[in-house]
Amino acid sequence: MGAPRNGGDLVTETLTALGARVAFGIPGQHALGLFDALRRSELEFVSARVENNAAFAADGYARRTGCVAPLLVSTGPGALLTLASLQESKASSAPVLVISAQIPRAGLGGARRGFLHELPEQSAGFANVTKSVYTARHASQIPSALAEAWRTAAAAPAGPVLVEIPQDVLLEPTALPPVADVDGSPAPLEPRAELVAEAARLLDGARRPVVLAGGGVGRAGGHGALLDLAEALQAPVATTFGAKDAFPWEHPLSLQSWLEDRHTTDYLAGADVLLVVGSGLGELSSNYHTLAPRGRVVQVEADLGKLESNVSALGVHGDAALTLAALAARVTRRPHDPAVAAEVAGVRAAVAARLDAQDLSAERDVLAAVRAALPDDAPSFWDMTMLAYWAWSAWDPRRGRMFSAQGAGGLGYGLPAALGAAAAGDGPVLAVSGDGGAMYSIAELATARQHDLDVTWLVVDDGGYGILREYMEDAFGQAAHTELARPDFAALAAAFGVPSTLTAPERLREDLAAALAAPGPHVVVLPMVLGLFAPTHTA
């Protein structure tokens, strides 16, 4: 006779009933009841090597699929190591469901019983990086707590949620029947009708309506509605760095994503009605808060706290896709206007001319080589590295999606997030890191090999923290403490059983394409120092 079902089984049964197919994490002493239950479940488990990387992997899975990603960790050090990664998930609205073990119930509430990993209040550390926290103190609470946490994580704006379960609750036998009847579907965030009507009135009355589409458009699946609305209004569309796929890159109305360029900033500011959808107009999306709209602004945002947080606007609290569809159905369709497309082409030409005036051909060629090597429908995950700063503005995502750590700006995102995404589907996934960021997640080459995940990792080795080096040289005349001793990345990959290629700029396209075409993990190392285009927010 098998072991009796316990609290850990209630966790895995509930996750399966909610629709989970993959979970990420690392086992720990207080979580053994949960990890033992995984053996009896249908869940596929991807075991990382460091908890922050497990959290990044869950983030990557959530972003690629749009589904809630379970993250299973143990108490104290294990749980706390996820915090920096969860800050990225919170900033970028990735629905990660963290399920952490806790010390036994007898030690909860600051009882100070001296249990291993004991904290006075573990959940307090998660207050700034999760939408909410739940503690299940009895087995009967587990299914409902997880269903509510799942619903909260998925509800717009999506984001991470914590459920903590004491060790003894995970281990104790339960007489509850197997979990089947749970529903984690969130209620749709419909915009208020009078706000939609007023926004449509303003857009219809605008001579030069312009749209700035943020990451909320892509997360909500608003691509089609955005295209319909833009064409109906003959409105040019710029996309933020987190919304690279929200609007077709080469469309005649596409301003693309050169948001750090003064030409784009000034054009957005000159609109008589600027429709901002799915963006809080934060530091990067506003060219470091230099965007100063001269006309009316309509801001559509699912995160209530971001409405009018940076500019005065008609604030519409609602899901981006639902609101765009409602606006597209209400506005008056305008005839095709070649003059608008000419304006857009003029802005793009001015941006290109500014770049042409700088000595940046090597950097542009490298990014073009990466784009040419990557299949059109393959997703890419970018660490905080010089090439990613280029990609934010210049990358054409085509049918794949581009994801980066620009929400919170921490290092180490690229590889583990790509591994999580690879666990979600077939086909190659690209990760891009610098040598500094690569050292944050090098241990996850073991994860890539163990699970045979189809990720090609491009490491641009410039001998240090390249972007910080450039910032310090610009600000102070010289850099300090940015240069790094680093390993032979190709040899290190081989030690993990992962094939590698040492490439050069002139061979990058060919070498990267070959790595992406081969199944399983691969590392491509490009020794090269890249420069960055000149900023315009200080001009």
Short mmCIF file of all heavy atoms in Angstrom, two decimals, residues 157-206:
data_model
loop_
_atom_site.label_atom_id
_atom_site.label_comp_id
_atom_site.label_asym_id
_atom_site.label_seq_id
_atom_site.Cartn_x
_atom_site.Cartn_y
_atom_site.Cartn_z
N PRO A 157 -3.33 43.94 -13.64
CA PRO A 157 -2.02 43.59 -14.17
C PRO A 157 -1.47 42.34 -13.50
O PRO A 157 -1.47 42.24 -12.27
CB PRO A 157 -1.16 44.81 -13.82
CG PRO A 157 -1.77 45.33 -12.55
CD PRO A 157 -3.25 45.08 -12.68
N ALA A 158 -1.03 41.39 -14.32
CA ALA A 158 -0.50 40.15 -13.78
C ALA A 158 0.74 40.41 -12.95
O ALA A 158 1.37 41.46 -13.04
CB ALA A 158 -0.19 39.19 -14.93
N GLY A 159 1.11 39.41 -12.14
CA GLY A 159 2.31 39.57 -11.33
C GLY A 159 2.47 38.41 -10.37
O GLY A 159 1.59 37.55 -10.25
N PRO A 160 3.58 38.38 -9.65
CA PRO A 160 3.86 37.26 -8.75
C PRO A 160 3.02 37.32 -7.47
O PRO A 160 2.64 38.39 -7.00
CB PRO A 160 5.35 37.43 -8.43
CG PRO A 160 5.64 38.88 -8.66
CD PRO A 160 4.71 39.33 -9.74
N VAL A 161 2.74 36.14 -6.94
CA VAL A 161 1.99 35.97 -5.70
C VAL A 161 2.69 34.89 -4.88
O VAL A 161 3.24 33.94 -5.45
CB VAL A 161 0.52 35.57 -5.99
CG1 VAL A 161 -0.23 35.28 -4.69
CG2 VAL A 161 -0.19 36.66 -6.78
N LEU A 162 2.67 35.02 -3.56
CA LEU A 162 3.29 34.03 -2.68
C LEU A 162 2.23 33.27 -1.89
O LEU A 162 1.30 33.87 -1.33
CB LEU A 162 4.23 34.72 -1.69
CG LEU A 162 4.78 33.84 -0.54
CD1 LEU A 162 5.76 32.80 -1.08
CD2 LEU A 162 5.44 34.69 0.54
N VAL A 163 2.37 31.93 -1.85
CA VAL A 163 1.62 31.09 -0.92
C VAL A 163 2.65 30.32 -0.10
O VAL A 163 3.51 29.63 -0.65
CB VAL A 163 0.70 30.09 -1.65
CG1 VAL A 163 0.03 29.16 -0.65
CG2 VAL A 163 -0.34 30.82 -2.48
N GLU A 164 2.59 30.47 1.21
CA GLU A 164 3.52 29.74 2.07
C GLU A 164 2.75 28.71 2.87
O GLU A 164 1.63 28.96 3.33
CB GLU A 164 4.31 30.68 2.97
CG GLU A 164 3.50 31.67 3.77
CD GLU A 164 4.37 32.57 4.64
OE1 GLU A 164 5.58 32.66 4.40
OE2 GLU A 164 3.82 33.15 5.60
N ILE A 165 3.38 27.51 3.01
CA ILE A 165 2.71 26.38 3.66
C ILE A 165 3.70 25.76 4.65
O ILE A 165 4.79 25.33 4.25
CB ILE A 165 2.27 25.33 2.63
CG1 ILE A 165 1.44 25.98 1.52
CG2 ILE A 165 1.47 24.22 3.31
CD1 ILE A 165 1.12 25.05 0.37
N PRO A 166 3.36 25.69 5.92
CA PRO A 166 4.28 25.13 6.92
C PRO A 166 4.66 23.68 6.63
O PRO A 166 3.89 22.92 6.03
CB PRO A 166 3.50 25.25 8.22
CG PRO A 166 2.56 26.39 7.99
CD PRO A 166 2.17 26.27 6.55
N GLN A 167 5.84 23.30 7.07
CA GLN A 167 6.36 21.97 6.85
C GLN A 167 5.40 20.88 7.33
O GLN A 167 5.17 19.90 6.61
CB GLN A 167 7.71 21.83 7.57
CG GLN A 167 8.34 20.46 7.47
CD GLN A 167 9.55 20.32 8.38
OE1 GLN A 167 9.60 20.95 9.45
NE2 GLN A 167 10.52 19.52 7.97
N ASP A 168 4.85 21.06 8.52
CA ASP A 168 3.98 20.00 9.05
C ASP A 168 2.66 19.91 8.29
O ASP A 168 2.06 18.84 8.20
CB ASP A 168 3.74 20.19 10.54
CG ASP A 168 3.37 21.60 10.94
OD1 ASP A 168 3.59 22.53 10.14
OD2 ASP A 168 2.85 21.79 12.06
N VAL A 169 2.21 21.02 7.70
CA VAL A 169 0.98 20.97 6.90
C VAL A 169 1.23 20.21 5.59
O VAL A 169 0.37 19.46 5.12
CB VAL A 169 0.48 22.39 6.61
CG1 VAL A 169 -0.76 22.37 5.72
CG2 VAL A 169 0.17 23.12 7.91
N LEU A 170 2.42 20.37 5.01
CA LEU A 170 2.75 19.64 3.80
C LEU A 170 2.89 18.15 4.05
O LEU A 170 2.61 17.33 3.17
CB LEU A 170 4.07 20.17 3.21
CG LEU A 170 4.03 21.55 2.57
CD1 LEU A 170 5.45 22.04 2.29
CD2 LEU A 170 3.21 21.54 1.29
N LEU A 171 3.29 17.78 5.25
CA LEU A 171 3.56 16.37 5.57
C LEU A 171 2.35 15.63 6.15
O LEU A 171 2.28 14.40 6.04
CB LEU A 171 4.72 16.26 6.55
CG LEU A 171 6.10 16.63 6.01
CD1 LEU A 171 7.11 16.73 7.15
CD2 LEU A 171 6.56 15.62 4.97
N GLU A 172 1.42 16.35 6.74
CA GLU A 172 0.36 15.63 7.45
C GLU A 172 -0.62 14.98 6.49
O GLU A 172 -0.98 15.54 5.45
CB GLU A 172 -0.37 16.57 8.41
CG GLU A 172 -1.19 17.66 7.78
CD GLU A 172 -1.78 18.60 8.83
OE1 GLU A 172 -1.38 18.51 10.02
OE2 GLU A 172 -2.63 19.42 8.46
N PRO A 173 -1.07 13.75 6.83
CA PRO A 173 -2.03 13.06 5.97
C PRO A 173 -3.34 13.84 5.88
O PRO A 173 -3.70 14.60 6.77
CB PRO A 173 -2.24 11.71 6.68
CG PRO A 173 -1.04 11.55 7.55
CD PRO A 173 -0.65 12.94 7.98
N THR A 174 -4.03 13.65 4.76
CA THR A 174 -5.31 14.32 4.57
C THR A 174 -6.36 13.32 4.11
O THR A 174 -6.06 12.39 3.35
CB THR A 174 -5.19 15.44 3.53
OG1 THR A 174 -6.46 16.06 3.36
CG2 THR A 174 -4.73 14.92 2.17
N ALA A 175 -7.59 13.53 4.58
CA ALA A 175 -8.72 12.70 4.15
C ALA A 175 -9.53 13.40 3.06
O ALA A 175 -10.55 12.87 2.61
CB ALA A 175 -9.62 12.38 5.34
N LEU A 176 -9.07 14.61 2.65
CA LEU A 176 -9.79 15.32 1.60
C LEU A 176 -9.74 14.52 0.29
O LEU A 176 -8.71 13.89 -0.02
CB LEU A 176 -9.17 16.70 1.36
CG LEU A 176 -9.32 17.73 2.49
CD1 LEU A 176 -8.52 18.99 2.13
CD2 LEU A 176 -10.78 18.07 2.70
N PRO A 177 -10.81 14.55 -0.50
CA PRO A 177 -10.77 13.86 -1.80
C PRO A 177 -9.80 14.56 -2.74
O PRO A 177 -9.45 15.73 -2.54
CB PRO A 177 -12.21 13.97 -2.29
CG PRO A 177 -12.76 15.17 -1.61
CD PRO A 177 -12.10 15.21 -0.26
N PRO A 178 -9.33 13.86 -3.78
CA PRO A 178 -8.44 14.50 -4.75
C PRO A 178 -9.05 15.79 -5.31
O PRO A 178 -10.25 15.86 -5.58
CB PRO A 178 -8.28 13.44 -5.84
CG PRO A 178 -8.49 12.14 -5.12
CD PRO A 178 -9.54 12.44 -4.08
N VAL A 179 -8.22 16.79 -5.47
CA VAL A 179 -8.69 18.11 -5.88
C VAL A 179 -9.04 18.09 -7.37
O VAL A 179 -8.23 17.65 -8.20
CB VAL A 179 -7.63 19.19 -5.62
CG1 VAL A 179 -8.13 20.56 -6.04
CG2 VAL A 179 -7.22 19.18 -4.15
N ALA A 180 -10.22 18.56 -7.71
CA ALA A 180 -10.64 18.62 -9.11
C ALA A 180 -11.41 19.90 -9.43
O ALA A 180 -11.24 20.48 -10.51
CB ALA A 180 -11.49 17.41 -9.47
N ASP A 181 -12.23 20.35 -8.52
CA ASP A 181 -13.15 21.46 -8.80
C ASP A 181 -12.58 22.77 -8.28
O ASP A 181 -13.00 23.29 -7.25
CB ASP A 181 -14.51 21.17 -8.16
CG ASP A 181 -15.56 22.22 -8.51
OD1 ASP A 181 -15.32 22.96 -9.49
OD2 ASP A 181 -16.58 22.31 -7.81
N VAL A 182 -11.58 23.32 -8.99
CA VAL A 182 -11.03 24.64 -8.67
C VAL A 182 -10.98 25.45 -9.95
O VAL A 182 -10.82 24.91 -11.04
CB VAL A 182 -9.63 24.57 -8.03
CG1 VAL A 182 -9.70 24.03 -6.62
CG2 VAL A 182 -8.69 23.73 -8.89
N ASP A 183 -11.11 26.75 -9.81
CA ASP A 183 -11.10 27.65 -10.96
C ASP A 183 -10.27 28.87 -10.62
O ASP A 183 -10.56 29.58 -9.66
CB ASP A 183 -12.53 28.06 -11.32
CG ASP A 183 -12.60 28.94 -12.56
OD1 ASP A 183 -11.54 29.16 -13.19
OD2 ASP A 183 -13.69 29.42 -12.90
N GLY A 184 -9.20 29.09 -11.39
CA GLY A 184 -8.34 30.25 -11.16
C GLY A 184 -8.52 31.34 -12.18
O GLY A 184 -7.67 32.22 -12.30
N SER A 185 -9.64 31.32 -12.91
CA SER A 185 -9.85 32.31 -13.96
C SER A 185 -10.14 33.68 -13.37
O SER A 185 -11.08 33.82 -12.58
CB SER A 185 -11.02 31.89 -14.87
OG SER A 185 -10.80 30.60 -15.40
N PRO A 186 -9.40 34.70 -13.75
CA PRO A 186 -9.67 36.04 -13.23
C PRO A 186 -10.81 36.70 -13.98
O PRO A 186 -11.11 36.36 -15.13
CB PRO A 186 -8.36 36.79 -13.50
CG PRO A 186 -7.80 36.13 -14.72
CD PRO A 186 -8.20 34.68 -14.62
N ALA A 187 -11.48 37.63 -13.32
CA ALA A 187 -12.53 38.42 -13.97
C ALA A 187 -11.87 39.39 -14.94
O ALA A 187 -10.83 39.98 -14.64
CB ALA A 187 -13.35 39.17 -12.94
N PRO A 188 -12.45 39.58 -16.13
CA PRO A 188 -11.87 40.54 -17.08
C PRO A 188 -11.95 41.97 -16.54
O PRO A 188 -12.92 42.35 -15.88
CB PRO A 188 -12.73 40.37 -18.33
CG PRO A 188 -14.02 39.79 -17.85
CD PRO A 188 -13.68 38.95 -16.65
N LEU A 189 -10.91 42.75 -16.82
CA LEU A 189 -10.86 44.13 -16.36
C LEU A 189 -11.44 45.03 -17.45
O LEU A 189 -10.71 45.59 -18.28
CB LEU A 189 -9.43 44.53 -16.01
CG LEU A 189 -9.23 45.93 -15.40
CD1 LEU A 189 -10.07 46.12 -14.15
CD2 LEU A 189 -7.75 46.16 -15.11
N GLU A 190 -12.75 45.14 -17.48
CA GLU A 190 -13.43 45.93 -18.49
C GLU A 190 -13.30 47.42 -18.18
O GLU A 190 -13.47 47.84 -17.03
CB GLU A 190 -14.92 45.56 -18.52
CG GLU A 190 -15.21 44.11 -18.86
CD GLU A 190 -15.29 43.87 -20.36
OE1 GLU A 190 -15.08 44.85 -21.12
OE2 GLU A 190 -15.56 42.72 -20.76
N PRO A 191 -13.03 48.25 -19.19
CA PRO A 191 -13.00 49.69 -18.96
C PRO A 191 -14.43 50.22 -18.79
O PRO A 191 -15.39 49.64 -19.32
CB PRO A 191 -12.38 50.24 -20.24
CG PRO A 191 -12.78 49.25 -21.29
CD PRO A 191 -12.77 47.90 -20.61
N ARG A 192 -14.57 51.30 -18.06
CA ARG A 192 -15.89 51.90 -17.87
C ARG A 192 -16.37 52.53 -19.17
O ARG A 192 -15.62 53.18 -19.89
CB ARG A 192 -15.84 52.94 -16.76
CG ARG A 192 -15.76 52.30 -15.39
CD ARG A 192 -15.46 53.25 -14.26
NE ARG A 192 -15.90 54.61 -14.46
CZ ARG A 192 -15.22 55.67 -14.04
NH1 ARG A 192 -14.04 55.50 -13.45
NH2 ARG A 192 -15.68 56.88 -14.22
N ALA A 193 -17.66 52.35 -19.47
CA ALA A 193 -18.22 52.75 -20.77
C ALA A 193 -18.08 54.25 -21.01
O ALA A 193 -17.77 54.68 -22.13
CB ALA A 193 -19.69 52.34 -20.85
N GLU A 194 -18.27 55.06 -19.98
CA GLU A 194 -18.22 56.51 -20.20
C GLU A 194 -16.79 56.97 -20.51
O GLU A 194 -16.59 57.95 -21.23
CB GLU A 194 -18.78 57.28 -19.00
CG GLU A 194 -17.93 57.25 -17.73
CD GLU A 194 -18.24 56.07 -16.83
OE1 GLU A 194 -18.87 55.11 -17.31
OE2 GLU A 194 -17.86 56.11 -15.64
N LEU A 195 -15.79 56.23 -19.98
CA LEU A 195 -14.41 56.58 -20.28
C LEU A 195 -14.05 56.20 -21.72
O LEU A 195 -13.33 56.93 -22.41
CB LEU A 195 -13.47 55.89 -19.30
CG LEU A 195 -13.56 56.38 -17.85
CD1 LEU A 195 -12.68 55.52 -16.95
CD2 LEU A 195 -13.16 57.84 -17.74
N VAL A 196 -14.53 55.05 -22.15
CA VAL A 196 -14.31 54.65 -23.54
C VAL A 196 -14.94 55.67 -24.48
O VAL A 196 -14.35 56.07 -25.49
CB VAL A 196 -14.87 53.23 -23.79
CG1 VAL A 196 -14.81 52.89 -25.28
CG2 VAL A 196 -14.08 52.20 -22.99
N ALA A 197 -16.15 56.08 -24.17
CA ALA A 197 -16.85 57.05 -25.02
C ALA A 197 -16.09 58.37 -25.10
O ALA A 197 -15.94 58.96 -26.17
CB ALA A 197 -18.27 57.28 -24.50
N GLU A 198 -15.58 58.84 -23.96
CA GLU A 198 -14.83 60.10 -23.96
C GLU A 198 -13.50 59.96 -24.69
O GLU A 198 -13.10 60.87 -25.43
CB GLU A 198 -14.60 60.56 -22.52
CG GLU A 198 -13.79 61.85 -22.37
CD GLU A 198 -14.48 63.07 -22.99
OE1 GLU A 198 -15.65 62.98 -23.40
OE2 GLU A 198 -13.83 64.12 -23.05
N ALA A 199 -12.83 58.84 -24.50
CA ALA A 199 -11.57 58.62 -25.21
C ALA A 199 -11.81 58.58 -26.72
O ALA A 199 -11.03 59.16 -27.49
CB ALA A 199 -10.92 57.32 -24.74
N ALA A 200 -12.86 57.90 -27.15
CA ALA A 200 -13.18 57.85 -28.58
C ALA A 200 -13.50 59.24 -29.11
O ALA A 200 -13.11 59.59 -30.24
CB ALA A 200 -14.35 56.90 -28.81
N ARG A 201 -14.21 60.05 -28.33
CA ARG A 201 -14.53 61.42 -28.75
C ARG A 201 -13.26 62.24 -28.95
O ARG A 201 -13.12 62.96 -29.94
CB ARG A 201 -15.44 62.09 -27.71
CG ARG A 201 -15.95 63.47 -28.14
CD ARG A 201 -16.66 64.17 -27.00
NE ARG A 201 -15.74 64.58 -25.94
CZ ARG A 201 -14.97 65.67 -26.00
NH1 ARG A 201 -15.00 66.45 -27.07
NH2 ARG A 201 -14.17 65.98 -24.99
N LEU A 202 -12.31 62.12 -28.02
CA LEU A 202 -11.06 62.86 -28.15
C LEU A 202 -10.26 62.40 -29.36
O LEU A 202 -9.70 63.22 -30.10
CB LEU A 202 -10.22 62.68 -26.88
CG LEU A 202 -10.75 63.36 -25.61
CD1 LEU A 202 -9.93 62.95 -24.40
CD2 LEU A 202 -10.74 64.88 -25.76
N LEU A 203 -10.21 61.10 -29.58
CA LEU A 203 -9.45 60.58 -30.72
C LEU A 203 -10.10 60.99 -32.04
O LEU A 203 -9.40 61.35 -33.00
CB LEU A 203 -9.34 59.06 -30.62
CG LEU A 203 -8.44 58.54 -29.48
CD1 LEU A 203 -8.63 57.05 -29.28
CD2 LEU A 203 -6.97 58.85 -29.77
N ASP A 204 -11.43 60.95 -32.10
CA ASP A 204 -12.11 61.37 -33.32
C ASP A 204 -11.88 62.85 -33.62
O ASP A 204 -11.82 63.27 -34.79
CB ASP A 204 -13.62 61.10 -33.21
CG ASP A 204 -13.99 59.69 -33.63
OD1 ASP A 204 -13.20 59.05 -34.36
OD2 ASP A 204 -15.06 59.21 -33.23
N GLY A 205 -11.74 63.64 -32.58
CA GLY A 205 -11.54 65.07 -32.77
C GLY A 205 -10.11 65.47 -33.00
O GLY A 205 -9.82 66.65 -33.25
N ALA A 206 -9.19 64.52 -32.93
CA ALA A 206 -7.77 64.84 -33.06
C ALA A 206 -7.37 64.98 -34.52
O ALA A 206 -7.80 64.20 -35.38
CB ALA A 206 -6.93 63.75 -32.40
#
